[in-house]
Amino acid sequence: MNLNIPKKIERMLQKINSAGYEAYIVGGCVRDCFLKRQPQDWDITTSAEPEQIKKIFNRTYDTGLQHGTVTVSWEGEHYEVTTYRIEGKYDDCRHPNNVTFTKSLKEDLQRRDFTINAIAYHPQEGIKDYFSGQKHIEQKIIKGVGNAAERFQEDALRMLRALRFSAQIGFDIEQKTYEALQQQKGLIKKISVERIRDELEKMLLSEHIEKINLLWQSGLLNEISPMLSEKMEQYGEQVIKQIKKAPFDRMIIWTIFLQYMTAEQGEAFLKYLKFDNNTVKTVVMLLKHLKDDIALEEYELRKKANEMTTEQLNRLLLIQEIQQRQNIKQLRDCFDKILQRGDCITLKELTVTGEDLIKTGMVKGKEIGTMLHFLLDVVHRNPEKNTKEILLQCAKEKQK
Ligand code: ATP
Ligand code: MG
């Protein structure tokens, strides 16, 4: 079987071979080739040790020497080249106590998480598949390599990875592997929140989002957030339907996912997962406004866009559209017209600045800000009044 991998990767494998070592592409990229999906990256596994790889290639970076990984710059791209390795015992459910290099490809494949991720390929040597990965790809199942319960005990993140792959490629989790996941779910608490967060996000942005119901059905979500899990058990189906209709926008998708939490609960959850400030701020704002009944008036929309920013109001309308809220089509048309005309929304677009007001004799201080907001409100009501002449006149009258 020929997997038709890019020629430059073939050349890279051959370069390692010419130096006297074995080299294969492995893991996600091989799985994705079988699935006719574009691989994210091409990982290479080799019998050469890092120091030997560094001698073979001109440009390399020490990215993970302790795990046997060297990043190689080759024909304009970067590739991770990792020495065949065996992992020692895991005492913390996260990291092996030690790793040792091996000359056996089979041993390297054996340490990998799922059979579909444990296939290696070389254009001349063919496919190396010691754990029936190809069969499981055909059967569309995710199955642990060896004893699934033990594999989850070694590294509990693999449980979330199983669910994530299921959501990404639409496969079911093989029964024994799923049972092991249900048994070991409590171990997820040993995993850092950042890694949990990244897996959850990948899951939420997946093509087969319907598979995400396993997250709560398995009991795993209950270990991460009992409250969210409870909401999903009740409303999960609706949430999945809505995410299916959503644009590919992580803020919108997180908001839909957390919609049955209050804004405060959503905020606590996102902060617990150590999300960046911008994500927390944006999703919390959307959660706060989610239930808003926006009046079908241009003035209200301009005011709201100023309050939330145009970008966030746009997202809010997109979510309300998915939720088929009343008047949503008209609101959308109305907002689109406002944007097309380029109506003034924020103080930035107001034709009068604080400086202008000072020039008319107003004293520096709080009053300037108050006056600018008054003028912005005038313009929100009547966009055509956004000229210096009219607004300075308005300011004058207001001061009388
Ligand atoms: P993606 O498309 O997300 O990159 P991937 O399968 O390539 O998926 P990576 O995290 O890039 O996943 O890992 C590359 C390979 O390393 C996997 O295919 C798997 O063989 C192995 N691997 C990664 N993480 C683990 C883990 N936690 N336990 C065992 N093997 C793992
Ligand atoms: Mg990968």
Side-chain angles (χ1 to χ4, degrees):
M1 182 149 178
N2 187 351
L3 281 187
N4 253 334
I5 66 171
K7 282 281 171 281
K8 64 170 148 183
I9 290 171
E10 216 172 310
R11 285 192 288 273
M12 188 171 165
L13 296 178
Q14 267 148 15
K15 191 162 167 88
I16 303 175
N17 296 152
S18 307
Y21 305 100
E22 293 176 13
Y24 293 83
I25 59 163
V26 70
C29 59
V30 180
R31 175 199 70 220
D32 289 340
C33 282
F34 280 111
L35 291 171
K36 308 257 179 301
R37 283 164 53 103
Q38 180 59 38
Q40 303 262 344
D41 37 40
W42 299 88
D43 293 327
I44 288 152
T45 188
T46 178
S47 60
E49 294 199 6
E51 288 311 317
Q52 295 162 330
I53 289 297
K54 283 162 75 172
K55 282 194 195 122
I56 298 172
F57 294 98
N58 294 333
R59 287 178 60 197
T60 63
Y61 308 89
D62 296 352
T63 38
L65 281 191
Q66 67 278 33
H67 308 114
T69 303
V70 177
T71 299
V72 173
S73 172
W74 175 253
E75 298 189 16
E77 274 173 76
H78 289 102
Y79 300 94
E80 287 203 343
V81 179
T82 304
T83 308
Y84 295 164
R85 67 175 206 224
I86 310 172
E87 296 178 344
K89 262 186 68 177
Y90 285 69
D91 287 334
D92 63 355
C93 303
R94 276 177 292 167
H95 309 290
N97 300 345
N98 56 66
V99 304
T100 39
F101 298 142
T102 165
K103 293 290 169 216
S104 156
L105 170 65
K106 184 174 176 186
E107 283 183 337
D108 178 84
L109 295 176
Q110 195 159 10
R111 69 159 172 98
R112 294 173 185 271
D113 48 6
F114 305 108
T115 61
I116 60 169
N117 288 344
I119 311 173
Y121 173 75
H122 182 287
Q124 280 80 50
E125 306 290 325
I127 290 158
K128 301 289 171 183
D129 176 15
Y130 301 104
F131 306 100
S132 309
Q134 288 172 97
K135 186 176 94 191
H136 299 146
I137 288 176
E138 270 162 37
Q139 295 174 343
K140 296 190 192 295
I141 55 170
I142 295 164
K143 184 177 184 318
V145 175
N147 182 318
E150 282 171 18
R151 306 315 307 281
F152 292 150
Q153 279 162 17
E154 289 171 352
D155 178 359
L157 187 73
R158 291 172 185 157
M159 298 189 284
L160 272 177
R161 283 173 59 89
L163 294 172
R164 188 252 292 185
F165 288 124
S166 170
Q168 282 182 329
I169 61 184
F171 284 18
D172 287 325
I173 299 177
E174 176 265 342
Q175 195 179 341
K176 283 232 165 64
T177 304
Y178 187 69
E179 283 166 11
L181 191 155
Q182 287 177 304
Q183 276 163 21
Q184 308 294 335
K185 57 183 190 269
L187 295 178
I188 200 67
K189 292 204 167 72
K190 305 248 184 189
I191 298 299
S192 76
V193 288
E194 290 90 341
R195 294 175 82 191
I196 294 177
R197 174 196 65 206
D198 293 348
E199 289 298 329
L200 287 179
E201 175 145 323
K202 282 184 189 170
M203 241 178 261
L204 285 173
L205 297 174
S206 292
E207 200 179 322
H208 298 269
I209 184 74
E210 69 281 358
K211 297 283 185 200
I212 203 180
N213 60 10
L214 295 179
L215 187 57
W216 47 93
Q217 283 171 11
S218 65
L220 198 56
L221 187 59
N222 189 51
E223 301 294 327
I224 301 168
S225 166
M227 182 205 289
L228 183 58
S229 182
E230 199 178 299
K231 300 286 184 200
M232 284 303 143
E233 277 159 39
Q234 198 173 350
Y235 303 111
E237 229 167 280
Q238 272 154 264
V239 168
I240 288 171
K241 272 191 200 148
Q242 290 183 12
I243 294 180
K244 265 187 187 282
K245 291 185 199 158
F248 194 73
D249 176 317
R250 49 188 295 280
M251 302 293 190
I252 290 181
I253 291 176
W254 272 106
T255 305
I256 296 176
F257 188 54
L258 301 180
Q259 66 180 294
Y260 290 101
M261 285 181 155
T262 64
E264 290 71 30
Q265 291 164 341
E267 181 168 10
F269 181 66
L270 293 169
K271 283 189 172 160
Y272 164 72
L273 290 181
K274 298 200 180 147
F275 265 105
D276 59 287
N277 289 338
N278 180 43
T279 304
V280 177
K281 200 176 124 198
T282 305
V283 174
V284 170
M285 179 192 278
L286 291 170
L287 286 172
K288 263 188 195 140
H289 288 283
L290 210 54
K291 301 258 161 28
D292 287 2
D293 275 316
I294 308 169
L296 185 54
E297 281 171 29
E298 290 197 353
Y299 168 60
E300 291 295 333
L301 277 165
R302 285 188 285 260
K303 219 165 63 167
K304 194 128 202 122
N306 179 45
E307 191 189 327
M308 297 183 65
T309 75
T310 298
E311 191 184 14
Q312 300 331 332
L313 177 56
N314 191 38
R315 285 188 165 124
L316 180 67
L317 292 179
L318 284 166
I319 299 173
Q320 292 197 339
E321 204 168 322
I322 292 165
Q323 298 181 333
Q324 301 175 322
R325 293 283 295 269
Q326 253 192 337
N327 280 342
I328 188 66
K329 288 264 175 314
Q330 293 92 319
L331 273 172
R332 163 59 60 194
D333 287 348
C334 188
F335 189 49
D336 284 346
K337 270 187 205 135
I338 289 170
L339 294 179
Q340 270 163 23
R341 277 198 309 261
D343 289 357
C344 167
I345 302 285
T346 70
L347 282 179
K348 263 196 209 145
E349 298 118 38
L350 205 63
T351 51
V352 166
T353 64
E355 297 273 289
D356 295 328
L357 293 176
I358 291 166
K359 276 188 209 148
T360 67
M362 269 185 85
V363 199
K364 259 191 191 166
K366 242 178 48 204
E367 287 73 23
I368 302 272
T370 313
M371 181 60 83
L372 286 172
H373 281 101
F374 166 75
L375 295 177
L376 183 61
D377 192 66
V378 168
V379 171
H380 281 163
R381 287 174 197 278
N382 300 98
E384 68 282 359
K385 288 194 176 165
N386 193 18
T387 73
K388 232 179 206 161
E389 206 186 336
I390 298 177
L391 291 183
L392 288 178
Q393 185 62 32
C394 283
K396 215 161 147 192
E397 277 164 26
K398 175 80 176 161
Q399 279 174 301
K400 272 183 196 161

